[in-house]
Amino acid sequence: VFVIRIGQDVIADCGHKLGEVVDVRDDYVVVEKGFFNPEDIYVPKDQIASFDEYHLKLKVSREEAQDMDWDQEPDDAGSGSD
């Protein structure tokens, strides 16, 4: 059973911690990154490679994650086409 919990650490494929799960939505996970200037990123669930009780491991490295447009909240109401 795939259970994502608030508080789990989110780890990039390269081993670096990106942040912590702060909310779980239907298609993505809201991750708070940063300590002094926290910001949310919105990680699609299909980018999760593996998980355990305390961690979500992503399919991408920290550098790849920074290049994604994950700082923009997805439009849940949209049909997925422009």
Side-chain angles (χ1 to χ4, degrees):
V1 176
F2 195 124
V3 178
I4 300 172
R5 293 187 174 91
I6 292 173
Q8 285 176 307
D9 288 338
V10 178
I11 310 297
D13 187 27
C14 59
H16 286 92
K17 179 180 172 180
L18 292 182
E20 183 177 296
V21 175
V22 293
D23 196 7
V24 181
R25 307 283 173 87
D26 289 339
D27 296 325
Y28 60 93
V29 177
V30 183
V31 177
E32 183 178 84
K33 60 179 234 175
F35 183 74
F36 293 108
N37 295 311
E39 63 178 304
D40 290 343
I41 59 171
Y42 305 89
V43 179
K45 287 183 178 177
D46 65 3
Q47 294 298 312
I48 298 170
S50 62
F51 67 97
D52 62 28
E53 187 176 348
Y54 304 104
H55 307 92
L56 296 180
K57 185 166 184 181
L58 302 183
K59 296 177 181 178
V60 297
S61 70
R62 178 174 63 175
E63 290 77 20
E64 291 170 318
Q66 290 172 345
D67 291 338
M68 304 286 188
D69 290 328
W70 291 348
D71 58 335
Q72 301 296 317
E73 185 171 5
D75 180 9
D76 285 336
S79 63
S81 61
D82 290 85

